[in-house]
C-alpha cells in the first residue's frame, strides 16, 4: 500500500466542493484504490468477474433446495450469457471468466476454463471434504486463473461462484473460525425448507465433530470442511493482492474464501472491497471478522458475483468523483467556518 | 398501481434462472416499476435529478458548519457541472434540473429554473419559517418543475437539494411527527462541531415550542418548521406520483419531503424508491416511518441527490435483469426439489 498516494488522495478529496468526509465509504474506496494503484486519482480499466464452480459431496445430506445437476447447468448458462451475473456484468462493462475447479460431471464449452482438481468434494459429514494437497492445488488453480486475467489487462477483479451445497461449506468454515452457536451462522441458502435447514445444521455439526478443523491452520479448515470453488476463490484473492489489483468480494461463499485468504495473508484484506451483505446470517459476521463494510444491502442470496457486479458501478462512480469534481478554489465556494 | 402487471412481473421473475426471490430488493423494485408503468418488463428512459435550493433563517442560531453564502455558490457549481451530483448524474446518464425556490440572494444562469417564493425562510426559532400560503406556493413550484420534466420525457425522477441549514429543518419536521427525544433525531449535518450540535438542538426545541406544529396537519408542520426546498421536493414527489413516474428519494432532507408527501397522500409512497441511508441519525427513522428500504449504506452525508444518482445504476440494472435473463426452460436448468 502506497501511503503517499493515500495522503495525496485524501488531500484532493478534501479540496473538492463537498464537506470533508461527506461521501463516506466512497471516500474510503478512493483512498484504498489510491493506496493499491499508487495514483491519487486512480483509474479503473478492464473489470473481470472470476466465477469458480464446483460440487459438494455434502449434498447427499439433503442440505440444498436444488439438485446437484444445477451446478453444470448454471455454468452452461453463464457460458451462454443467460444468468443474472451475465446481465449485471454486461451492464457494468465487465468480463466473466468461468472456471470448472471441481464440478461433479464434465462439461465442455470453448470459453470454460478447466482446472478440475476433483469431481466434487467428498461428504464432509463423513470425513474431510478433500485432501490437504487437493485444497492447495485448488488454491493454485485460482491463482493461475486470476493471474491470467491480470496479465490479460484486468485492473479490477470480482469473485463469483456456483456450487450446489456451498452455503453449507461456507457456514462450516465460519463455524470453525468462530465460537458462535451454529444456529446463528446458518441460513436458508437458495431457499431450503425449515426441515432442510435442520438437516444442514446436523450435517455441519457432524463435519465439525468428525474433522475437528484447526482454526489456527486455515488450510486445515479449508480442506476438511471447505469447497473446491472456495479454495479457488481464496487463490483468486491472494493472486489479486500479490499483483496489487483490487478485488471486489461478493456474497457469503466469496466472503468465506476471503476469510481464508485473510487468515493466510492478513495483508490481502487491504485489497478487498466488500460489495454487499446478503440474507445469509453468517455473512455480516464474516464481514465484521474481516473489518469490511458492505455498500449494498439488497437482501440478495444468489451469489455468482451478482452483488460484486452491482458494486462495480459504485466503484466506477468514485473514480469519476475524484477525477472530475471541482475544488473549493476553482468553483469559488466558501469552506466551513 | 397496476396489479396485473405486478403479477406478470412476479411470474417472469420466478421463471428466470435464479432461486425464487434471491435477488431481494432488486425483485421488489422490478415489481414496483411494473406496477407503476403497467409493464411486466419495465423500461427506464430519461432520468432527471431535480435539485431544489433554498435558504434557512434558522442559520442565525449557529446551526451549520458552513456560511449561508455556500447555498448560491453551490448552486452555481451545480449549473457549471462541478459538484458531486454533476459527476454522479453524468456517470448514470441522468440530467439535472436545478431550481431556486428560495435562495436568500439572486443568482442568474441560463439553466437555472427560478420559482423563488421568498428570500430564504424566517428563523423558525422565533416564529413560523414561512406562511402557510408560502409553503403551498413552494409545493406548487415543485409540482410545476417536476411536471415540466415529465412532459419533457423524464421517466424516472430523483430528488436533490441544497440549502445551508436544511438538516435542522428536516430534524424539526421529524421531531414534529415523532415522539422520540430530539437527541435521537439530530446529527452533525455537513460536519458541525459538538458545540454547534447543541445550538442545533436548542434551536429545534425553540422552534417546536414556539410554533407548536400540528402533526395531524402536514402543511402546518411544513410551513412552521420546514423549508422552501423541502416544500418544493414535496411537490416534486406528489407530481411524480400523480403522473405515475417513479421517484428516487435521496438523503435526510429529501426523505423529510417524502414524509410530508406521504402524509398528504399516502398512495404517493408507492412511487418512492429509497436510495441510501445516510449518517444522519434521523434518516433511518424517517425511512422506517415510510416503510422504505434503502439499498445503499454508504455513510454519506452530502445530499444534492448524490445517493439517488448512485441508485440509478441499480435501478437500470434490474430492468436489464428482467429483460435479458434466461428462463429455467430456455436454459435447460432444473428447478428446486
Amino acid at each position: 500500500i502506497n501511503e503517499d498516494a493515500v495522503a495525496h488522495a485524501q488531500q484532493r478529496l478534501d479540496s473538492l466542493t463537498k464537506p470533508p468526509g461527506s461521501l463516506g465509504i466512497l471516500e474510503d474506496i478512493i483512498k484504498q484504490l489510491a493506496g493499491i494503484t499508487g495514483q491519487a486519482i486512480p483509474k479503473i480499466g478492464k473489470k473481470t468477474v472470476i466465477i469458480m464452480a464446483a460440487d459438494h459431496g455434502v449434498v447427499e445430506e439433503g442440505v440444498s433446495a436444488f439438485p446437484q445437476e444445477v451446478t453444470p447447468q448454471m455454468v452452461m448458462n453463464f457460458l451462454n450469457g443467460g444468468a443474472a451475473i451475465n446481465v449485471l456484468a454486461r451492464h457494468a462493462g465487465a468480463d466473466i471468466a468461468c472456471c470448472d475447479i471441481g464440478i461433479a460431471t464434465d462439461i465442455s464449452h470453448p470459453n470454460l476454463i478447466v482446472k478440475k482438481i476433483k469431481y466434487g468434494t467428498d461428504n464432509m459429514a463423513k470425513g474431510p471434504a478433500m485432501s490437504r494437497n487437493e485444497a492447495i492445488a485448488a488454491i493454485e488453480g485460482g491463482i493461475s486463473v486470476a493471474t491470467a486475467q491480470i496479465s490479460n489487462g484486468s485492473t479490477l477483479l470480482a469473485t463469483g461462484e456456483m456450487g450446489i451445497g456451498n452455503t453449507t461449506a461456507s457456514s462450516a468454515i465460519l463455524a470453525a473460525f468462530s465460537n458462535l452457536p451454529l444456529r446463528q451462522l446458518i441460513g436458508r441458502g437458495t431457499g431450503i425448507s425449515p426441515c432442510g435447514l435442520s438437516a444442514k445444521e446436523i450435517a455441519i455439526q457432524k463435519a465439525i465433530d468428525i474433522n475437528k478443523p484447526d482454526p489456527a491452520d486455515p488450510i486445515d479448515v479449508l480442506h476438511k470442511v471447505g469447497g473446491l470453488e472456495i479454495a479457488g476463490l481464496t487463490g483468486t484473492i491472494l493472486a489479486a493482492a500479490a499483483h496489487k489489483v483490487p478485488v471486489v468480494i461478493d456474497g457469503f461463499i466469496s466472503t468465506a474464501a476471503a476469510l481464508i485468504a485473510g487468515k493466510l495473508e492478513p495483508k490481502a484484506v487491504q485489497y478487498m472491497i466488500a460489495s454487499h451483505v446478503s440474507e445469509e446470517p453468517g455473512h455480516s459476521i464474516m464481514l465484521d471478522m474481516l473489518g469490511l463494510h458492505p455498500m449494498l444491502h439488497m437482501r440478495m442470496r444468489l451469489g455468482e458475483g451478482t452483488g460484486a457486479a452491482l458494486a462495480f458501478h459504485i466503484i466506477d462512480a468514485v473514480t469519476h468523483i475524484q477525477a472530475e469534481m471541482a475544488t473549493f478554489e476553482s468553483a469559488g465556494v466558501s469552506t466551513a467556518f
Side-chain angles (χ1 to χ4, degrees), chain A residues 224-243:
Chain A
K224 286 177 172 169
V225 302
L228 292 151
E229 80 280 54
I230 298 172
L233 290 178
T234 300
T236 298
I237 295 164
L238 291 173
H243 292 284

Side-chain angles (χ1 to χ4, degrees), chain A residues 178-332:
Chain A
S178 78
N179 291 317
L180 295 167
L182 257 192
R183 211 152 275 221
Q184 285 180 37
L185 310 179
I186 66 171
R188 294 183 56 218
T190 50
I192 201 166
S193 65
C195 174
L197 185 64
S198 120
K200 187 169 171 176
E201 185 179 351
I202 292 167
I204 296 170
Q205 194 58 58
K206 273 193 202 165
I208 299 283
D209 292 345
I210 288 175
N211 292 298
K212 299 185 180 45
D214 175 8
D217 178 355
I219 304 283
D220 193 65
V221 174
L222 182 61
H223 90 82
K224 286 177 172 169
V225 302
L228 292 151
E229 80 280 54
I230 298 172
L233 290 178
T234 300
T236 298
I237 295 164
L238 291 173
H243 292 284
K244 295 190 174 297
V245 167
V247 55
V248 185
I249 309 296
D250 186 40
F252 185 53
I253 293 98
S254 287
T255 310
L259 204 56
I260 303 274
K263 300 265 178 196
L264 289 170
E265 176 48 73
K267 282 185 196 159
V269 179
Q270 299 178 314
Y271 295 84
M272 299 176 190
I273 299 173
S275 56
H276 77 120
V277 60
S278 77
E279 279 286 269
E280 200 66 15
H283 193 198
S284 60
I285 300 171
M286 284 178 177
L287 290 165
D288 284 345
M289 288 168 73
L290 284 160
L292 297 177
H293 302 291
M295 296 179 262
L296 292 155
H297 288 53
M298 305 297 296
R299 303 183 178 181
M300 287 163 69
R301 46 184 175 80
L302 179 56
E304 301 181 359
T306 48
L310 285 175
F312 276 160
H313 294 283
I314 314 291
I315 297 166
D316 276 339
V318 295
T319 63
H320 288 279
I321 287 278
Q322 183 78 327
E324 299 169 25
M325 264 184 78
T327 62
F328 281 101
E329 200 177 20
S330 72

Side-chain angles (χ1 to χ4, degrees), chain A residues 51 53 75-76 79 97-101 103 106-116:
Chain A
I51 303 179
V75 170
M76 288 308 291
L79 293 162
C98 188
C99 173
D100 172 3
I101 193 130
I103 303 174
D106 280 324
I107 55 174
S108 147
H109 189 285
N111 293 334
L112 179 67
I113 303 164
V114 181
K115 301 271 177 191
K116 201 192 284 278

